[in-house]
Amino acid sequence: MIRPIIAANWKMNKTVSESLDFVSRLMQLVIGMNDRQVVIAPPFTALYAVGAALKGSSIGLAAQNLSENKDGAYTGEVSARMLADAGCTHVIIGHSERRTIFGESNDVIRAKISMALQSGMQPIVCIGETIEERESGRTFDVIAKQIKEGLNQIETSDIKHIIIAYEPVWAIGAGKTATPEQAGEVHGFIRKLMEERYGEEPARRLPVLYGGSVNPDNIGKLMAQPDINGALVGGAGLNVDTFGKIISF
Ligand code: PEP
């Protein structure tokens, strides 16, 4: 049985003080919730302060991105080592906004995963198809390519540190969620691909989260699907009361 993971991606929202207000409330809400892992992904500017506030708490701290390079002359970039030093336990990699707005390829994503693993952080690797890809019947091909090119070179010994988030691009920020059956079908496919590459046991233990307009009303049905092990939440993770309802699904 995989312990469910519920992660909030704040994207480019919240100042340091807004982040700290959220976290002080969230820390109260998670008291006694040992059967699930809660993770928050503030913007870079709030990571260190939030990491300090979270010391001793079970809440994970994720960055929303990292550099594929180790260190050096990369103006504006943030390395894996810096993020781990700031208190990050997780890092979101390959979010569809990074892929589409910033042109991240599967090769870049693979390099970023490697950097995160070397610094001891758990990558939350996002994959998912666009509406055109789904409507032209290419969902499984797209997912297979993203996994093959982005994930297949990970060592078997590292696979236990990986979290995958299936986020159909057409459901992100759209108020339109994949049905639990649609999501469950793709999650099952992802697990099968990972089983073919890494074997039954590692694939069985791999957390596969769903992301795309998750809210307090749909989380229960999504989590009832056998291959859905948690959620990556965008908009509904910005308000602590709403996020509190999602984490207590
Ligand atoms: C996301 O951006 O990862 C996401 C799932 O957003 P939302 O929940 O707002 O659809």
Side-chain angles (χ1 to χ4, degrees):
M1 174 79 183
I2 298 170
R3 190 163 73 125
I5 301 168
I6 309 290
N9 172 15
W10 290 350
K11 310 191 183 189
M12 198 170 71
N13 292 291
K14 293 196 191 293
T15 61
V16 175
S17 64
E18 288 163 353
S19 301
L20 291 174
D21 282 350
F22 184 110
V23 163
S24 70
R25 288 278 324 276
L26 185 63
M27 284 167 75
Q28 298 301 313
L29 293 177
V30 299
I31 290 171
M33 276 193 191
N34 301 322
D35 60 344
R36 58 206 67 193
Q37 165 82 66
V38 175
V39 178
I40 51 170
F44 282 136
T45 45
L47 285 174
Y48 182 76
V50 170
L54 287 179
K55 277 231 162 70
S57 132
S58 63
I59 299 169
L61 180 67
Q64 299 172 18
N65 183 31
L66 81 169
S67 172
E68 68 267 39
N69 298 295
K70 204 167 182 172
D71 46 40
Y74 299 100
T75 301
E77 291 289 275
V78 180
S79 74
R81 202 165 69 91
M82 292 168 185
L83 294 174
D85 183 53
C88 290
T89 50
H90 296 72
V91 54
I92 298 171
I93 298 178
H95 189 279
S96 69
E97 287 152 16
R98 300 288 326 163
R99 291 178 187 261
T100 54
I101 305 172
F102 302 99
E104 278 186 16
S105 64
N106 289 327
D107 287 345
V108 166
I109 287 160
R110 188 174 62 242
K112 290 186 175 195
I113 294 170
S114 166
M115 283 297 158
L117 290 170
Q118 284 172 43
S119 287
M121 291 181 291
Q122 282 196 265
I124 303 175
V125 185
C126 302
I127 56 176
E129 81 288 359
T130 63
I131 192 65
E132 294 77 23
E133 289 162 345
R134 173 163 283 266
E135 287 177 349
S136 58
R138 288 186 291 138
T139 297
F140 294 120
D141 291 345
V142 171
I143 297 291
K145 185 172 159 67
Q146 289 173 337
I147 289 198
K148 187 162 181 285
E149 295 180 359
L151 282 149
N152 254 7
Q153 283 173 22
I154 294 168
E155 299 292 329
T156 306
S157 57
D158 276 331
I159 205 69
K160 59 178 174 294
H161 302 301
I162 299 283
I163 298 166
I164 292 183
Y166 167 57
E167 298 207 302
V169 180
W170 47 271
I172 294 179
K176 184 176 172 189
T177 324
T179 64
E181 294 71 28
Q182 278 173 324
E185 185 185 28
V186 179
H187 281 234
F189 178 70
I190 293 167
R191 205 175 300 286
K192 187 172 89 29
L193 288 181
M194 295 302 277
E195 183 180 328
E196 283 165 13
R197 169 67 180 83
Y198 292 101
E200 193 189 332
E201 184 63 13
R204 207 165 50 80
R205 291 176 182 274
L206 174 80
V208 186
L209 317 185
Y210 168 78
S213 298
V214 171
N215 61 42
D217 296 331
N218 58 30
I219 183 74
K221 285 208 172 101
L222 288 162
M223 291 304 296
Q225 288 288 322
D227 277 311
I228 298 184
N229 311 115
L232 181 54
V233 184
L238 287 170
N239 177 288
V240 72
D241 295 320
T242 311
F243 188 56
K245 288 182 191 147
I246 294 175
I247 63 177
S248 38
F249 66 90

